[in-house]
Amino acid sequence: MKFTAVFAALAAFAVTQVSANASIVSEYDALGATDQGALHNCLNNYRTNNWDGMDCGGRGWFKGSHKYKNPTNCWDACAGLIVQAIDRGATSVECDDQEGGAKCWMGYH
């Protein structure tokens, strides 16, 4: 029960962190179950100051940019949208954020 309350608070915080310019550009809900709890944990641990990918929760995570400020800002812009996609059962998702001439993308597949 305590985990559920903490998770709900974290999800609510992440939703408030969506940039006005961020959007989901692809989302797939292919056959096959996803471990939503594991994907939420992966997303929370992915707010690192790097552009590296990782394998987590049975999915390959990615984060990249073209002239974007920094990887933590990319996470801040997209995390809330990715939380929503995880909650919908997405097996693959990509969020892009455009800030002027700079762009970042992140998600999992």
Side-chain angles (χ1 to χ4, degrees), residues 1-107:
M1 189 59 92
K2 190 184 290 187
F3 175 75
T4 303
V6 169
F7 175 73
L10 184 58
F13 171 75
V15 169
T16 65
Q17 297 300 303
V18 176
S19 165
N21 298 321
S23 63
I24 296 293
V25 295
S26 68
E27 179 178 335
Y28 299 100
D29 304 321
L31 295 176
T34 58
D35 183 342
Q36 293 178 340
L39 292 175
H40 282 289
N41 286 333
C42 296
L43 178 61
N44 293 337
N45 292 329
Y46 204 30
R47 190 180 189 271
T48 57
N49 195 28
N50 65 53
W51 293 108
D52 297 335
M54 69 176 185
D55 290 323
C56 185
R59 299 288 184 248
W61 289 77
F62 57 89
K63 187 174 10 170
S65 79
H66 175 72
K67 299 182 184 177
Y68 200 80
K69 295 170 255 182
N70 69 56
T72 303
N73 288 354
C74 185
W75 188 96
D76 290 343
C78 286
L81 292 171
I82 295 174
V83 163
Q84 293 171 22
I86 291 169
D87 290 345
R88 288 189 296 269
T91 56
S92 176
V93 65
E94 179 180 335
C95 173
D96 290 4
D97 184 42
Q98 188 95 25
E99 301 291 337
K103 179 181 177 180
C104 82
W105 53 89
M106 69 174 289

